[in-house]
Amino acid sequence: MTPRPGKVEVPIGGEVIHRRPRAARQVRGGGDEEVVDVGKIIRLDGPAKLNWLCKALPMVRRRKLQPAEFMDIVTNQRFSSNLDDAMPFGSQMVSALRSEIGEYQPLQVQQLRGCDLWARFADSDDERFVDKATTSSSLPAARAAAYAAAAAAA
């Protein structure tokens, strides 16, 4: 508030005028920018990448993170480059991806199967599971039950 001409505004004792920096507001608001920063994610170590993947998968399911952006990060060749074959983090990532494979389009599933992470850490059992999950004849149990209920109601 600007004072009237000829009047002087005297501050009240103990009154502090301060604004928080923008970065603090973004972190409190959700911090989605740090989730999709490819450079930061690629430089993470094995346990941190696994934690990121466990946070990102539900975000993709809720569409807070675009599946294409997620696939770009996971299928990047440098994403799995610093994962050690002796440690279980890569296979845990593949099993987490395998559990969410029904959420993706068939082309995204093919892209995922062709990435370096899947090639290094997936078993032949994983390949059979993906083939079974992505064929047009197999439907998830909940979807099949919904179709059956809709057909019975009609």
Side-chain angles (χ1 to χ4, degrees):
M1 180 171 159
T2 57
R4 293 179 295 185
K7 299 288 182 175
V8 178
E9 189 173 315
V10 180
I12 300 172
E15 180 182 23
V16 178
I17 299 172
H18 180 72
R19 291 189 177 212
R20 292 184 183 165
R22 288 183 151 252
R25 290 181 191 162
Q26 289 176 352
V27 171
R28 185 182 293 167
D32 289 341
E33 294 171 2
E34 66 187 27
V35 172
V36 294
D37 187 11
V38 179
K40 286 182 181 178
I41 295 167
I42 287 174
R43 286 191 295 269
L44 295 175
D45 60 344
K49 281 184 184 176
L50 182 61
N51 287 340
W52 172 84
L53 190 73
C54 290
K55 289 177 185 176
L57 283 171
M59 289 179 69
V60 171
R61 192 178 325 121
R62 292 185 312 240
R63 299 294 189 239
K64 298 274 185 184
L65 176 63
Q66 292 296 322
E69 292 176 358
F70 175 77
M71 294 300 288
D72 287 342
I73 294 169
V74 172
T75 58
N76 192 327
Q77 197 170 23
R78 291 175 23 201
F79 182 76
S80 63
S81 64
N82 67 344
L83 295 174
D84 189 11
D85 292 335
M87 299 302 283
F89 305 118
S91 58
Q92 289 173 349
M93 285 186 213
V94 169
S95 65
L97 287 169
R98 189 183 65 208
S99 68
E100 299 286 331
I101 203 90
E103 299 289 324
Y104 299 106
Q105 300 293 325
L107 290 175
Q108 290 174 330
V109 172
Q110 287 178 349
Q111 183 182 9
L112 186 62
R113 289 176 66 186
C115 76
D116 189 43
L117 177 72
W118 197 274
R120 284 178 56 195
F121 296 106
D123 299 344
S124 59
D125 295 337
D126 296 335
E127 294 296 322
R128 277 188 245 123
F129 177 81
V130 169
D131 287 338
K132 181 180 155 193
T134 57
T135 58
S136 60
S137 63
S138 66
L139 291 173
R143 226 182 255 173
Y147 287 145

